Amino acid sequence: MEERRYRSASGARIALRRRQHSASCRELAVRCPRLRLRSLSAATSAAWLAAYGLFVLTENSMVLSAAIIITLVGLIMYLHFVKIDQESLLVIGSLGIQVTSSYASGKESTTFIEMSQVKDVVINEAIHMQKVIYYLCILLQDPGDPQGVSEVVPLFQSSKPRLDCLIEVYKSCQEILEQRKTQSS
Amino acid sequence: ENSPAPLPERAIYGFALFLGSWFGFMLYLIWAYVPETWLFSLGLTYWPQKYWAVALPVYLLVAIGIGYILLFGINMMSTAPLNSTDTVTDNYAKKQQQKKFQEEAIPALRDIPISEVNRMFFLPEK
């Protein structure tokens, strides 16, 4: 069990936690920075000041209660659907790869990809908004064409680690993926 | 054949365009500034409304300004998303032919699959 600190593509601090469950099973978890009280209070104050300004203009008190309700509902939806707390990758040698995202409200969403569908785990570069970023992705095998790639599944989408963190994750995954080549041959 | 050197035909085209654009500009200024009554007295009655003398330049400038934003937006929309196979390969790479490896010759140019590139970059050879 090992934890190391890295930076995300936007500069936020993230932590990578590696656990080796067995010789062919590894779990890699990237923890994103928590929601800061400063930014939360700044956003709430800005929204409520704007609502108060609107109230002064329109003399309608419904604006204030609407602003409170919208802020509360918006915060709950943000924590439940948008803010990701931790993204983890569980690689089990002969079985498959499981990708889990845990949200700040406690919700977890998992995807499992079985090993026969996995062609490789690679670090790809792509244009994202105005930058070129490195991101780790799983290449899925095309059933008709052994050399072809049918789908690309990007990983760690919201934490967006930088290249040094990605290289660590890549090496760990490749150690396990190489075992299946030696096993099958 | 297609050289950017100056030719007599090009000089003539250039001068004709120069005269034409000056004439067009003078016509536009006359239409915009000369009062309608003077133009009517000369017998020239079929002109567009003078409103357009101001409206068309404004339309043009706003269109140019929107064009900047539109081009930026079109570029962002055409960028392949992170989960598309276009970031990894394309039709030409799939259909490329493998040339035979010859000793002591420079290897032929080809698209190297991303797994191989990654192994070379990130897995240090012992």
Side-chain angles (χ1 to χ4, degrees):
Chain A
M1 169 87 140
E2 196 193 316
E3 175 157 340
R4 272 204 256 178
R5 293 183 178 279
Y6 292 98
R7 294 231 170 220
S8 80
S10 52
R13 285 202 198 95
I14 57 175
L16 170 72
R17 204 165 49 207
R18 274 202 286 207
R19 287 192 67 168
Q20 174 124 359
H21 294 285
S22 84
S24 63
C25 177
R26 284 221 186 125
E27 185 177 0
L28 301 130
V30 172
R31 217 180 51 228
C32 306
R34 302 295 173 97
L35 184 63
R36 306 212 136 257
L37 190 60
R38 279 184 300 189
S39 49
L40 177 63
S41 14
T44 314
S45 320
W48 286 354
L49 274 175
Y52 183 70
L54 210 59
F55 164 69
V56 164
L57 278 175
T58 60
E59 303 286 332
N60 184 7
S61 65
M62 277 301 290
V63 172
L64 295 176
S65 20
I68 294 176
I69 292 176
I70 288 176
T71 316
L72 279 177
V73 170
L75 179 66
I76 291 177
M77 288 184 54
Y78 174 72
L79 292 179
H80 194 67
F81 291 114
V82 175
K83 180 89 186 78
I84 288 188
D85 193 32
Q86 173 175 289
E87 288 169 310
S88 77
L89 191 67
L90 178 67
V91 186
I92 307 176
S94 47
L95 197 60
I97 301 182
Q98 176 171 288
V99 183
T100 314
S101 306
S102 339
Y103 291 83
S105 63
K107 173 173 102 163
E108 282 193 10
S109 98
T110 48
T111 313
F112 180 74
I113 303 167
E114 51 175 341
M115 208 38 113
S116 60
Q117 283 184 340
V118 169
K119 184 164 183 285
D120 203 0
V121 172
V122 298
I123 297 180
N124 194 12
E125 308 155 12
I127 301 176
H128 174 73
M129 298 292 244
Q130 82 287 9
K131 289 196 282 214
V132 175
I133 56 165
Y134 291 99
Y135 65 104
L136 197 73
C137 58
I138 304 177
L139 302 177
L140 297 188
Q141 193 114 24
D142 191 7
D145 175 20
Q147 299 294 329
V149 174
S150 77
E151 217 181 300
V152 171
V153 178
L155 304 173
F156 302 127
Q157 286 287 80
S158 52
S159 47
K160 288 202 177 61
R162 285 188 180 168
L163 190 60
D164 44 6
C165 179
L166 288 180
I167 293 180
E168 293 301 323
V169 180
Y170 174 75
K171 285 188 197 160
S172 297
C173 290
Q174 284 296 322
E175 278 167 23
I176 300 197
L177 288 179
E178 271 165 8
Q179 290 172 6
R180 63 171 178 167
K181 263 185 276 176
T182 52
Q183 272 170 8
S184 64
S185 62
Chain B
E1 253 98 334
N2 298 334
S3 78
L7 297 171
E9 294 95 37
R10 290 182 178 161
I12 295 173
Y13 299 153
F15 191 57
L17 271 177
F18 171 72
L19 285 181
S21 58
W22 263 112
F23 175 69
F25 186 51
M26 286 301 142
L27 190 64
Y28 169 75
L29 284 181
I30 290 171
W31 165 52
Y33 280 108
V34 171
E36 284 213 322
T37 45
W38 296 17
L39 291 173
F40 286 168
S41 66
L42 282 174
L44 306 160
T45 52
Y46 199 62
W47 296 99
Q49 277 185 320
K50 283 187 189 271
Y51 160 81
W52 291 109
V54 180
L56 282 178
V58 172
Y59 269 123
L60 190 68
L61 289 175
V62 171
I64 290 175
I66 288 182
Y68 276 110
I69 303 173
L70 196 71
L71 189 66
F72 188 66
I74 289 179
N75 274 335
M76 283 185 76
M77 277 174 57
S78 322
T79 311
L82 292 188
N83 64 348
S84 87
T85 51
D86 291 325
T87 53
V88 177
T89 184
D90 67 355
N91 271 337
Y92 298 102
K94 283 185 202 151
K95 290 196 194 125
Q96 65 181 346
Q97 287 129 356
Q98 305 280 350
K99 297 209 177 81
K100 270 207 310 260
F101 176 70
Q102 292 165 335
E103 289 290 334
E104 295 185 357
I106 300 175
L109 198 64
R110 67 180 178 104
D111 183 52
I112 304 176
I114 185 170
S115 311
E116 226 175 288
V117 173
N118 266 16
R119 271 196 287 275
M120 189 212 70
F121 272 136
F122 303 126
L123 292 181
E125 296 296 320
K126 290 164 190 112

